[in-house]
Amino acid sequence: MAYQFILPDIGEGVVEGEVVRWHVKPGDVVKEDQTLVEIMTDKATVQIPSPKAGKVSKLFFKEGEVAKVGKAIIEIDTGGEASAPAPAPAAEKAPSRAPDSTPPPQRVEVSRTEPRASFEATSTQAVAQGSNALVASTGEREILATPAVRKLARDEGVELQKVAGTGPFGRITREDVLRQAQGGQVISFTPPPQAKAQTTQTEAPVRENVQARTQEPRREDRQDHRQESRGNSRDFGREPVREEPRDPPPPRREEPRRDEPRRDEMRPAAQQQSQPAQAQQQSSQLPPPRPGQETRVQIRGLRKRISEKMHQSKSTAAHFTYVDEFDLTDLVKLREQVNGKLAAQKIKLNFLPFIMKACVVALRKFPAINALVDDARGEYVMKSDINIGIAVQTDDGLMVPVVRNVDQKSMVQLQREIETLSEKVRRRQATQQELTGGSFTITSLGALGGMLATPVINYPEVAILGVHAIKKKPAVVGEQVVIRDLGNFAASFDHRLIDGYIGAQFIAEVKRLLEDPTTLFLEL
Amino acid sequence: MASKARKATPKTAASVAKNAAVATERDRTPLCLVNPDGSVVKGAKLPVIPDADLKRLFEVMLQNREIDERMLTVQRQGRIGFYMQSRGEEGSILGAAYATTKADWLFLCYRELASLLWRGMTLQTFANQLFGNRQDLVKGRQMPCHYTDRAIGLVSISSPVSTQIPQAAGVGWAMKLKGEENVSLCFMGEGGTAEGDFHCGMNFAAVYKANVVFVCRNNGWAISTPAEVQSASETFAMKARAYGMPGVLVDGGDIFAMIAATREAVERARKGEGPTLIEARTYRFSAHSSSDDPSVYRDEKADQAKFAHMDPLPRLRNFLKHRELWSQEWEQSVVTKIQDQLATAIKLAETMDLPQTETVFEDVYKELPWHLREEKNEALRHKQKPVHGVVNATSSAKG
């Protein structure tokens, strides 16, 4: 029986060796452990003893030739041994190892099937496909990705199964995940059912708004580079669009311990019927849990960013909120007049452009407020451009698109831009450019606006203005109580940088301008 | 006093500095109780060792040597990935181990197989580790020769040089804090003394008078670096002085001297009097490891002859002959027996299945975190590659 001796790695990572001298020649009878050959590797010259007894039938290399580790170098006819019952072919005896005469394993060997029923079932397909397990069989693609990339994908709600890896051997890189996360192309928010297999990439642009602002200004440059592929988000992608996680988080203790508790109990029926886009809905949109149960949803995607940002803001900036009541009767009148004139152009100004313009004037007087804080470097960054973020509520959560150079635009332009941006954000089509670079933020609760809220600063900005509902209320004018249009304005400042006096002055300035809009026009 | 001082050679900074680095004659002379010819050194007091133990020590030395020879062959045949021999050092290692008990923790460098054999690690445990099979106590995760065995008080061996020294110091300190009388026995090579960990461990152990015995196996070579360029100290034992602990230079070819020195050190440690550094001066007759070729950096023939007297095996054999405890037949029977036992152990270890893939994910987390669960599932979806890296080799070694 022919036995081929394969050159082993004789020295921790040796890949080849030069045949220095054969101690045997074809026809020689060798004993077990008898020296066959001297091999010189880059580490050492060693003598190789024979693992078998028999007759040398063939030498595969001449002296002076270089043999690769894993290649057969000599063939020995083990003769009588073959008929002996003991040495059965290795493949039968120990299926986990390669048979004697097999050339060195390529990468994964078909023959190396482990006789273990436990995962036999799960891997049958891959095995059936044969030798190249790197590209395994139907559907389930094997994934090469580092733990850091897996973590990123998990945070972004990106399914690695659906990401094409561009790294060596198809490894999925950080960039691949980010590309997938930012969606490449924009797809409608609610995909048609047919789209289920190709997970729809919806975007959650605000996220980056929320986050990008935390980064020191110079990082924006780098982000801009990545823009070219037009996807917006760099670090953050869409809200997770996953009908079922490939690897759901472990059940918490208080949950009933069953094999598949999550899918049944945690996910509304709609999601199980492969409606991926809806799987991402906010917890508030999930149906209530059955009595006695609770619903647990991973905080991830946009919600996670918002959560992190809010926490960062509240735990970093020293918030103080200053509130004043504005008498906007004149502004209300002015707006009606203006809108009457604009009716022909089919555009209607709401209060926000006026408020933004008032802020422009006030921010010019108090440039300390049109600023960012760079805590990493301990620096306070005052901005020359006045770029005002406007908080917009979307189905997935809060987003803040930015209106740039507010001071250089007309009210009509501002109104148009606000509408366009809000719509884009709601459709998740806003670009990164449109979601970053703010220096001040206005949050307006519109008609719902209540009486008082304490806005959370869009960190690393240092101030935010909250606008509440404008309502008719009794007010004292002169010595009389009259009906006026009153609205509360609440502004939060980072007290680390903005003193109460400055903040109050700023609001007083905004108030002065809005209560007497003619001055606003004088000073613009 | 005052007049005496005036008469003496005036001290200068230069003379003090010069003297401080110089070893005394005492420093330079290794402790030796039995000569290479097996005769007892004049005036030497031998440690008390029962005859049965003497014979057993000789047996283990022989076994160690047979095992080393055999396993290197097996490595060359590609059946295991790596091996380290300890020829020439068995005596000093064995002597140190003999002076301790199984309750004393062992922290090894990697070349101390003799200590494991003495403590009773089975050949099967040994072979399973080398082949990294399913029964391997470290589940195929460590290189060959990086043993672990709780049953004999052995702490898992790690490849990074000298990491075991601070660990041994810490364990020795814990023993002291707990009021225990056992000690940790820590081996290192002379090359290991150049590591920062040596300093940390020695300093810590001395400051806290930890229950530790340090044994520095000075076999002359840190792979290809000769001991002369490893340290500017004349001896390695001298280094102990600066740490405030006794340092003893011992003839590592003399197992009696090694036993005597270690017993003293262990006694001190048990009494809470702190650590000792023993330098066992030996010669590494074999290559550093199966990956090393010493002929590249030393004159093998000349050196083997030059250092032959440092080989502990003939010395103990000669001593046993003097005592009429040795016979050729006995030695031959020991050799034959170990060869048979080893062949059986190797055969079993080699045919045993490799560790199951999922074991890779065990032993760190009680419950696997998500990323490892993902990896595990993917790994299981693949048809396995065996965990250990000797696939080609094992295939060729079948039958």
Side-chain angles (χ1 to χ4, degrees), chain B residues 132-351:
Chain B
N133 64 26
R134 203 164 282 191
Q135 297 281 315
D136 172 17
L137 293 174
V138 278
K139 306 187 182 180
R141 293 171 195 170
Q142 290 252 61
M143 274 176 86
C145 298
H146 292 62
Y147 317 100
T148 192
D149 192 353
R150 186 189 287 261
I152 58 166
L154 168 63
V155 177
S156 195
I157 299 174
S158 26
S159 279
V161 177
S162 289
T163 50
Q164 76 278 15
I165 301 174
Q167 294 165 7
V171 168
W173 187 38
M175 288 164 170
K176 190 187 172 81
L177 289 176
K178 291 164 82 179
E180 294 174 355
E181 288 204 338
N182 44 351
V183 305
S184 66
L185 175 62
C186 176
F187 286 89
M188 71 200 78
E190 86 285 353
T193 64
E195 288 285 342
D197 278 0
F198 172 79
H199 170 69
C200 302
M202 294 286 283
N203 190 56
F204 188 97
V207 167
Y208 291 99
K209 292 199 182 303
N211 299 6
V212 196
V213 176
F214 297 107
V215 176
C216 172
R217 300 181 293 95
N218 175 9
N219 63 16
W221 294 95
I223 308 188
S224 57
T225 304
E228 302 90 81
V229 304
Q230 191 64 250
S231 171
S233 295
E234 279 192 60
T235 76
F236 289 90
M238 276 174 74
K239 289 174 186 282
R241 195 180 300 153
Y243 289 103
M245 70 171 85
V248 189
L249 176 62
V250 178
D251 178 347
D254 177 3
I255 191 171
F256 297 93
M258 203 58 204
I259 290 171
T262 316
R263 272 186 179 169
E264 254 190 63
V266 168
E267 275 320 298
R268 265 198 299 278
R270 291 203 204 286
K271 279 191 274 179
E273 292 171 13
T276 306
L277 172 65
I278 297 171
E279 175 186 349
R281 189 166 286 175
T282 60
Y283 182 74
R284 194 195 74 204
F285 287 94
S286 49
H288 166 74
S289 74
S290 54
S291 306
D292 177 39
D293 181 2
S295 67
V296 175
Y297 53 82
R298 67 184 190 189
D299 185 341
E300 282 285 77
K301 256 192 193 154
D303 277 13
Q304 300 274 340
K306 185 173 157 198
F307 294 101
H309 67 281
M310 296 179 77
D311 188 337
L313 186 77
R315 198 183 307 200
L316 183 54
R317 186 191 286 125
N318 291 340
F319 180 88
L320 292 178
K321 278 181 188 169
H322 288 303
R323 288 280 185 96
E324 298 185 342
L325 292 170
W326 181 87
S327 73
Q328 182 67 53
E329 302 74 52
W330 171 59
E331 178 165 335
Q332 190 51 50
S333 72
V334 171
V335 170
T336 312
K337 194 175 168 198
I338 188 71
Q339 283 174 346
D340 289 351
Q341 289 173 335
L342 187 59
T344 311
I346 290 173
K347 195 169 181 184
L348 186 56
E350 196 168 24
T351 47

Side-chain angles (χ1 to χ4, degrees), chain A residues 22-339:
Chain A
W22 282 109
H23 287 240
V24 295
K25 56 183 186 301
D28 283 1
V29 173
V30 293
K31 286 185 286 200
E32 189 177 338
D33 295 346
Q34 182 179 332
T35 300
L36 296 175
V37 62
E38 267 173 61
I39 298 279
M40 180 169 71
T41 69
D42 51 5
K43 287 188 178 173
T45 301
V46 298
Q47 299 190 337
I48 307 268
S50 176
K52 300 265 189 186
K55 195 174 181 184
V56 177
S57 47
K58 201 172 177 187
L59 307 181
F60 292 96
F61 292 90
K62 292 192 199 109
E63 287 178 2
E65 283 183 340
V66 173
K68 294 276 179 209
V69 167
K71 293 277 180 219
I73 56 171
I74 184 172
E75 189 175 279
I76 298 169
D77 183 358
T78 53
E81 266 185 44
S83 56
E92 287 166 38
K93 201 161 87 187
S96 63
R97 290 164 189 198
D100 275 359
S101 53
T102 311
Q106 303 302 319
R107 194 166 162 80
V108 177
E109 287 228 345
V110 194
S111 63
R112 210 177 289 126
T113 47
E114 289 238 17
R116 246 179 288 121
S118 59
F119 70 79
E120 201 70 46
T122 58
S123 54
T124 337
Q125 283 183 328
V127 178
Q129 289 294 310
S131 55
N132 193 355
L134 274 182
V135 187
S137 62
T138 57
E140 294 281 278
R141 196 166 56 82
E142 295 301 334
I143 288 164
L144 292 177
T146 62
V149 169
R150 286 166 193 270
K151 171 79 165 60
L152 178 70
R154 195 176 173 86
D155 288 347
E156 298 306 324
V158 168
E159 271 209 65
L160 287 175
Q161 284 282 0
K162 287 159 183 158
V163 180
T166 60
F169 304 105
R171 188 199 300 149
I172 297 169
T173 64
R174 184 181 162 77
E175 284 67 34
D176 295 333
V177 171
L178 293 174
R179 199 177 309 117
Q180 182 86 346
Q182 69 193 34
Q185 54 301 78
V186 177
I187 296 171
S188 69
F189 186 51
T190 313
Q194 300 96 301
K196 65 191 176 205
Q198 302 296 323
T199 301
T200 316
Q201 308 305 321
T202 45
E203 298 175 302
V206 175
R207 232 176 299 177
E208 125 225 307
N209 181 15
V210 178
Q211 164 141 8
R213 288 175 182 219
T214 72
Q215 294 153 352
E216 58 278 71
R218 58 201 127 78
R219 266 194 80 173
E220 292 177 9
D221 301 340
R222 268 191 277 155
Q223 290 174 346
D224 287 342
H225 285 307
R226 308 202 181 215
Q227 286 266 133
E228 52 211 10
S229 65
R230 136 210 219 260
N232 48 8
S233 83
R234 177 186 148 281
D235 270 341
F236 345 71
R238 59 197 172 88
E239 182 68 304
V241 181
R242 89 219 123 106
E243 42 290 53
E244 47 198 56
R246 293 201 309 114
D247 190 11
R252 306 292 160 96
R253 286 231 172 73
E254 57 272 17
E255 288 173 3
R257 290 249 172 211
R258 258 185 271 144
D259 267 341
E260 296 246 324
R262 333 219 97 231
R263 219 174 295 166
D264 297 351
E265 289 157 22
M266 326 288 268
R267 293 185 189 282
Q271 289 177 29
Q272 292 177 41
Q273 290 154 7
S274 51
Q275 295 253 349
Q278 280 171 19
Q280 63 178 303
Q281 299 303 326
Q282 300 277 299
S283 50
S284 61
Q285 291 163 294
L286 293 172
R290 281 182 269 157
Q293 303 280 355
E294 58 187 11
T295 301
R296 280 175 179 270
V297 176
Q298 279 258 318
I299 299 167
R300 49 166 54 174
L302 174 59
R303 180 48 56 194
K304 190 170 179 207
R305 297 294 168 209
I306 294 174
S307 152
E308 286 166 359
K309 281 301 303 171
M310 290 298 174
H311 179 256
Q312 184 185 24
S313 178
K314 285 295 264 187
S315 57
T316 310
H319 281 72
F320 81 93
T321 303
Y322 178 90
V323 192
D324 200 356
E325 187 177 54
F326 290 11
D327 181 341
L328 299 173
T329 315
D330 290 350
L331 180 64
V332 170
K333 274 187 204 141
L334 173 68
R335 178 172 162 259
E336 277 169 14
Q337 287 173 12
V338 171
N339 279 341

Side-chain angles (χ1 to χ4, degrees), chain B residues 4-17:
Chain B
K4 254 186 190 173
R6 238 171 263 135
K7 275 178 201 166
T9 323
K11 276 189 177 178
T12 65
S15 70
V16 171

Side-chain angles (χ1 to χ4, degrees), chain A residues 3 8 10 12 33 44-46 49-50 52 90 97 100 112 116 119 127 133 143 150-151 247-248, chain B residues 70 75-78 82 134 291 293 350 352 354 356 370 373 378 380-383 386 391 395-396 398:
Chain A
Y3 162 79
I10 38 186
E12 294 174 76
D33 295 346
T45 301
V46 298
S50 176
K52 300 265 189 186
R97 290 164 189 198
D100 275 359
R112 210 177 289 126
R116 246 179 288 121
F119 70 79
V127 178
I143 288 164
R150 286 166 193 270
K151 171 79 165 60
D247 190 11
Chain B
R70 182 68 202 147
Q75 193 277 339
R76 291 293 186 241
Q77 291 170 342
F82 176 83
R134 203 164 282 191
S291 306
D293 181 2
E350 196 168 24
M352 214 176 283
L354 296 171
Q356 285 173 297
W370 65 267
R373 259 181 291 124
E378 275 174 35
L380 293 184
R381 237 182 289 135
H382 274 304
K383 212 52 202 178
V391 193
S395 69
S396 61
K398 275 288 158 237

